[in-house]
Amino acid sequence: MELDKILEFKYTPEINEKLIDYGFTKTFAEGDVILNENAYIKAIPIVMSGSIRVMRTDDDDREILLYYIKAGESCIMSFLGGMHHDTSKVKAIAEEPTEILFVPIDKVNILIKDYPEWLDYIFRLYHKRFEELLDVVNAIAFKKLDERLLDFIKKKCQINDNNTLVITHEHIANELGTARVVVSRLLKQMEQEGLVTLGRNKIILH
Amino acid sequence: MELDKILEFKYTPEINEKLIDYGFTKTFAEGDVILNENAYIKAIPIVMSGSIRVMRTDDDDREILLYYIKAGESCIMSFLGGMHHDTSKVKAIAEEPTEILFVPIDKVNILIKDYPEWLDYIFRLYHKRFEELLDVVNAIAFKKLDERLLDFIKKKCQINDNNTLVITHEHIANELGTARVVVSRLLKQMEQEGLVTLGRNKIILH
DNA sequence: AGAAAACGGTAACAAATGTCACATATTGGC
DNA sequence: GCCAATATGTGACATTTGTTACCGTTTTCT
């Protein structure tokens, strides 16, 4: 396992070894729920390969996308929750086949004490997530659905490095926290404006 | 200055001394803007007395309340922003006469290295803010305005330990990210339902 | 007291989004 | 090929929120 190439921060081979030594890996298939709302957190996850999407869910069954966790990153909510023996406030789902290294909380504390670089890595991630959350607040507070939808499509395409998206309207609606018909309606409108081309399970961005 | 009684975490008198030694204090009047969006951050603020409200603003002039910073707490966004030489993504305004201790970023790094308790304090605050932000996401994504409005009033009353709120509809509208007429309309409705009693600059919660 | 500013009430309307009902199209399993 | 499941299209309508306009009341300033 080449953690060196996966983790994005600069660290010594020692941290590498310790992480693998202290932790254990698990693999998840696309769609697997990695962490459920209100679950207790005993270990912090580091994504080795694949990616995770983190959602906030309502008391009903509506949910909304917060951000993605990519290879080399960790779930910062888990980290803080774990540090303070709290439960998770979010739900994490594998976007694709994903391999995760779980490092027990108590070991994490040791690492922080011994390796300042590791702490810096944590801070950096925190900062990133915080800003992403602010973007979400911005979007749902001030932007209209059509703009959010287009942003969503562009972002997904960018990740795939591809202008064709394989996804259902239903799925999009869930991530944006709205209903399927609304997404279908807006997509049709966008198609008529020449922004996209639609197909079954498929959206082509122009 | 009795920092001991103000800061909520347990720390040694040494940290107390260092904070005051390294930092400088400034006082702000109600309504003063402490930090503007896109301003550079060179020092992290610790609220000694009073309180601050933190808002996210749109490109237009619409804005929305994120959370409050009370005495003994710090602005975590400033902290991370400062650590990575970033600009602020939020706007901070004094809610009342407020005294703030500014500690330069480079000194903060020294404190973290030397005093693990201080680090724990930072993490705790981060966690708190993150959850508050999640609550905001929840509210604007899933709740209707009337519910958000009632929550807002209840929260304010709780802070004041009082069931009478001195505030204008305009002000409420700004914090909720909507228009004055909308707030007036909903408040009137709530009054008819017997939830509140209205007066000029005044809302009494039942 | 008189003028100006701030605050709130209300109506009428527009726009955005949500909801329901049902039709049609596509796919995969058998 | 046929059926069932899944995905999408679309109309009609309800609800929520935003917008504009205007008025009366209360406060503040001078």
Side-chain angles (χ1 to χ4, degrees), chain B residues 8-178:
Chain B
E8 65 179 14
F9 71 105
K10 294 279 175 290
Y11 58 96
T12 63
E14 285 172 69
I15 299 183
N16 186 340
E17 263 176 48
K18 298 242 168 160
L19 282 174
I20 293 172
D21 195 39
Y22 289 155
F24 54 96
T25 55
K26 264 193 194 172
T27 55
F28 296 87
E30 180 180 343
D32 278 2
V33 175
I34 296 166
L35 180 72
N36 237 314
E37 204 133 1
N38 294 321
Y40 266 98
I41 301 154
K42 291 153 298 188
I44 77 151
I46 298 175
V47 177
M48 305 299 290
S49 66
S51 60
I52 297 173
R53 73 165 178 277
V54 177
M55 318 273 299
R56 172 87 200 210
T57 64
D58 197 22
D59 304 320
D60 298 338
D61 25 293
R62 301 215 299 181
E63 41 186 34
I64 192 167
L65 172 69
L66 298 179
Y67 48 76
Y68 298 101
I69 302 177
K70 290 178 291 185
E73 299 180 343
S74 169
C75 178
I76 224 63
M77 274 309 288
S78 302
F79 176 71
L80 276 199
M83 293 278 285
H84 301 117
H85 308 291
D86 207 352
T87 58
S88 173
K89 298 292 180 294
V90 298
K91 185 172 152 191
I93 300 164
E95 274 272 296
E96 45 188 318
T98 297
E99 196 182 8
I100 298 181
L101 175 68
F102 286 93
V103 184
I105 297 297
D106 50 337
K107 305 296 183 187
V108 171
N109 280 319
I110 296 174
L111 283 172
I112 286 179
K113 199 161 288 177
D114 294 349
Y115 304 98
E117 316 93 281
W118 171 252
L119 179 61
D120 192 56
Y121 164 73
I122 301 283
F123 275 140
R124 236 173 252 284
L125 268 182
Y126 237 117
H127 192 49
K128 187 174 175 184
R129 295 295 171 242
F130 218 96
E131 296 205 338
E132 283 172 331
L133 257 196
L134 284 182
D135 286 342
V136 172
V137 169
N138 228 282
I140 53 183
F142 303 126
K143 290 186 181 178
K144 281 186 291 181
L145 252 185
D146 53 355
E147 194 179 346
R148 287 175 57 206
L149 178 56
L150 193 55
D151 285 349
F152 178 86
I153 293 171
K154 283 181 181 167
K155 204 170 179 180
K156 281 272 191 184
C157 284
Q158 218 171 357
I159 290 174
N160 301 351
D161 195 25
N162 189 318
N163 70 338
T164 299
L165 220 63
V166 177
I167 198 171
T168 68
H169 297 182
E170 180 83 46
H171 189 101
I172 296 176
N174 280 339
E175 303 215 2
L176 294 180
T178 181

Side-chain angles (χ1 to χ4, degrees), chain A residues 44-63:
Chain A
I44 77 152
I46 299 175
V47 176
M48 305 299 292
S49 67
S51 60
I52 297 174
R53 74 166 177 277
V54 177
M55 318 272 301
R56 172 85 200 211
T57 65
D58 197 24
D59 304 321
D60 299 338
D61 26 294
R62 302 215 299 181
E63 39 186 35

Side-chain angles (χ1 to χ4, degrees), chain A residues 113-126:
Chain A
K113 200 161 287 177
D114 294 349
Y115 303 98
E117 317 93 282
W118 170 253
L119 179 61
D120 193 56
Y121 164 73
I122 300 284
F123 275 138
R124 236 174 254 283
L125 269 182
Y126 236 115

Side-chain angles (χ1 to χ4, degrees), chain A residues 7-40:
Chain A
L7 297 184
E8 65 179 13
F9 72 104
K10 293 279 174 290
Y11 59 96
T12 64
E14 284 172 69
I15 299 183
N16 187 338
E17 264 176 47
K18 299 243 167 159
L19 282 175
I20 293 172
D21 196 38
Y22 289 156
F24 56 96
T25 55
K26 264 193 194 171
T27 55
F28 295 87
E30 180 179 343
D32 280 2
V33 175
I34 296 166
L35 180 71
N36 236 314
E37 204 132 1
N38 295 321
Y40 266 98

Side-chain angles (χ1 to χ4, degrees), chain A residues 62 143-146 177-182 185 200:
Chain A
R62 302 215 299 181
K143 291 186 180 178
K144 282 185 291 181
L145 252 185
D146 53 355
T178 182
R180 198 269 309 167
V181 273
V182 176
R185 186 197 297 156
R200 190 188 168 89

